[in-house]
């Protein structure tokens, strides 16, 4: 029997297998007009292909809780009802294929208002649909990015409300899981790390103050998200800095708190909050961070980071390093990874009737 293809239950939701798709921005939404931020044909085809390929859970890419929360003008958003209706087309199809639809709710903070990666990813101004980014402190991410506007306490509280409103809309759009984006140098991560948070009020300084915003977001979303549905949190387990950064020890401590506040699974990644750092990238390089959280806290975890083949994924789950694996680049290369991995491991996975001749 394959552990990778055993069902997994969180709260009252059962996910058919442990092969999951992480959020990966497609930068393919309309930048202006009534369809701004709404998923289009590209998004439907992209997610539908992975669902038809047997993926157990698909987390739709970082979806902004407000227009200024987008990474680029071409990102998805869920701040209005037009966007909700467009998402329903995707969630209906995923459910029909036996895939659990999830969505990552996000605010990009100081790394907002950039061009698409294949256009260089540089910050853009108002002449290219851009805006001034926001952040916990007036510190630019790097020399290319502008200094963000420092958020007031009232503005922080408004963003907390925006996350809750986005969760309500995600539920209306048919999503079964919501994930809060607390990783990769975006707004929640910026508050967590002393590298990017230099505030001297109740939202900065001590560990307790730096985690305040994140926990307020969690509490606000958990209040509106149904008790029978799971809530995930994506974290960068380390800034990869030798000092003055968020650390693996902080992550373990915070994971236990998140669990107490109603987070059901920690999606463990790393990096993204400090420019120019050296990251020892290699197969499964982030898995040890997930394994440590799983071993030292009651929090279930999903592992990411160059997980590329069935045997590797099977070992991670079977050895108890993680409860599930999230495959990013590999699912971009191969939408049917889950079906092929199941065949290799002697397991069963959903196959659409139209594809039975491929089994």
């Amino acid at each position: 029997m394959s552990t990778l293809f055993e069902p997994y239950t969180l709260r009252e939701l059962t996910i058919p297998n442990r092969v999951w798709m992480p959020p990966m921005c497609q930068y393919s939404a309309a930048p202006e007009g009534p369809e701004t931020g709404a998923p289009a044909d590209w998004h439907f085809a992209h997610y539908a292909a992975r669902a038809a390929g047997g993926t157990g859970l698909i987390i739709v890419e970082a979806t902004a809780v407000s227009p200024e929360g987008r990474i680029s003008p071409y990102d998805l958003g869920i701040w209005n009802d037009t966007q909700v209706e467009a998402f329903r087309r995707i969630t209906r199809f995923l459910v029909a294929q036996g895939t659990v639809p999830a969505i990552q709710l996000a605010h990009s903070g100081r790394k907002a208002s950039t061009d698409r990666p294949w256009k260089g990813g540089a910050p853009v101004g108002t002449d290219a649909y851009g805006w001034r980014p926001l952040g916990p402190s007036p510190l630019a991410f790097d020399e290319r990015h502008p200094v963000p506007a420092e958020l007031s306490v009232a503005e922080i509280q408004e963003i907390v409300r925006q996350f809750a409103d986005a969760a309500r809309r995600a539920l209306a759009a048919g999503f079964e899981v919501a994930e809060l984006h607390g990783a990769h140098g975006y707004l929640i991560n910026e508050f967590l790390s002393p590298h990017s948070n230099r505030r001297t009020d109740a939202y900065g300084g001590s560990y307790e103050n730096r985690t305040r915003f994140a926990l307020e977001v969690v509490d606000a979303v958990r209040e509106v998200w149904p008790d029978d549905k799971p809530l995930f949190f994506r974290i960068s387990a380390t800034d990869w800095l030798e000092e003055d950064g968020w650390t693996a020890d902080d992550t373990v401590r915070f994971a236990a708190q998140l669990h107490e506040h109603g987070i059901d699974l920690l999606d463990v990644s790393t990096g993204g909050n400090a420019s120019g750092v050296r990251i020892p990238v290699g197969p499964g390089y982030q898995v040890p961070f997930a394994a440590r959280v799983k071993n030292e806290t009651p929090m279930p975890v999903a592992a990411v980071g160059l997980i590329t083949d069935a045997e590797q994924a099977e070992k991670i789950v079977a050895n108890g390093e993680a409860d599930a694996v999230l495959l990013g680049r590999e699912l971009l290369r191969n939408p049917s990874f889950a079906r092929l991995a199941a065949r290799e491991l002697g397991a069963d996975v959903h196959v659409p009737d139209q594809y039975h001749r491929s089994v």
Side-chain angles (χ1 to χ4, degrees), residues 41-65:
D41 288 348
W42 175 266
H43 301 94
F44 179 83
H46 173 63
Y47 293 113
R50 278 81 195 163
T55 308
L57 176 141
I58 290 175
I59 307 177
V60 168
E61 64 204 75
T63 302
V65 301

Side-chain angles (χ1 to χ4, degrees), residues 10-352:
L10 289 166
R11 294 190 182 248
E12 296 181 26
L13 177 71
T14 297
I15 303 163
N17 62 58
R18 318 297 183 92
V19 178
W20 299 354
M21 181 176 172
M24 292 178 284
C25 289
Q26 298 298 292
Y27 305 99
S28 298
E32 65 175 350
E35 302 301 320
T36 298
D41 288 348
W42 175 266
H43 301 94
F44 179 83
H46 173 63
Y47 293 113
R50 278 81 195 163
T55 308
L57 176 141
I58 290 175
I59 307 177
V60 168
E61 64 204 75
T63 302
V65 301
S66 66
E68 61 273 14
R70 293 171 293 170
I71 301 168
S72 83
Y74 306 92
D75 283 7
L76 295 181
I78 194 160
W79 63 80
N80 66 43
D81 292 339
T82 298
Q83 296 157 346
V84 170
E85 188 58 37
F87 276 118
R88 286 195 183 113
R89 181 188 179 204
I90 294 173
T91 59
R92 282 195 300 265
F93 186 87
L94 267 58
V95 169
Q97 300 308 310
T99 297
V100 173
I103 186 171
Q104 185 183 70
L105 305 178
H107 193 297
S108 57
R110 67 177 181 169
K111 294 174 75 174
S113 189
T114 61
D115 207 344
R116 291 165 289 189
W118 54 88
K119 295 289 188 178
V124 296
T126 54
D127 59 335
Y129 310 114
W131 60 94
R132 186 180 180 187
L134 307 169
S137 302
L139 298 169
F141 173 67
D142 61 19
E143 64 279 358
R144 291 201 314 169
H145 285 72
V147 174
E150 184 175 31
L151 288 162
S152 68
V153 171
E155 288 170 329
I156 291 170
Q157 293 304 309
E158 174 59 24
I159 292 173
V160 172
R161 287 190 288 273
Q162 289 169 348
F163 269 97
D165 289 343
R168 291 189 188 94
R169 290 192 173 96
L171 183 65
F175 288 101
E176 296 289 332
V177 176
E179 175 175 274
L180 302 176
H181 196 353
H184 303 156
Y186 300 118
L187 187 63
I188 293 176
N189 190 188
E190 291 165 19
F191 271 91
L192 292 174
S193 174
H195 176 74
S196 46
N197 184 347
R198 306 291 174 83
R199 299 177 72 97
T200 58
D201 62 4
Y203 290 95
S206 68
Y207 168 90
E208 289 76 15
N209 284 356
R210 287 184 284 107
T211 58
R212 188 182 309 278
F213 171 62
L215 292 177
E216 287 181 350
V217 170
V218 170
D219 290 344
V221 171
R222 187 73 266 182
E223 185 175 350
V224 302
W225 195 247
D227 287 341
D228 62 340
K229 297 184 187 299
L231 182 61
F232 294 1
F233 190 99
R234 188 165 224 197
I235 196 164
S236 282
T238 176
D239 284 338
W240 296 105
L241 293 169
E242 293 184 2
E243 57 184 23
D244 295 328
W246 183 262
T247 69
D249 289 342
D250 292 328
T251 294
V252 170
R253 179 181 179 184
F254 193 46
Q257 290 179 270
L258 288 171
H259 190 263
E260 293 172 354
H261 283 254
I263 293 294
D264 299 291
L265 180 137
L266 197 66
D267 173 358
V268 185
S269 187
T270 66
N273 193 44
S275 64
V277 298
R278 299 184 65 178
I279 301 176
V281 176
Y285 71 104
Q286 297 177 134
V287 175
F289 295 97
R292 185 176 169 196
V293 171
K294 183 169 174 60
N295 291 333
E296 297 182 26
T297 78
M299 177 74 79
V301 299
V304 303
L306 291 184
I307 301 169
T308 57
D309 64 69
E311 183 179 355
Q312 178 195 20
E314 173 75 17
K315 286 182 177 178
I316 290 168
V317 179
N319 292 344
E321 295 175 277
D323 299 285
V325 291
L326 291 152
L327 295 91
R329 292 174 178 85
E330 191 58 30
L331 274 170
L332 291 181
R333 290 186 285 264
N334 182 4
S336 296
F337 174 90
R339 191 183 331 139
L340 297 174
R343 179 190 298 173
E344 180 179 336
L345 297 170
D348 294 323
V349 71
H350 170 77
V351 179

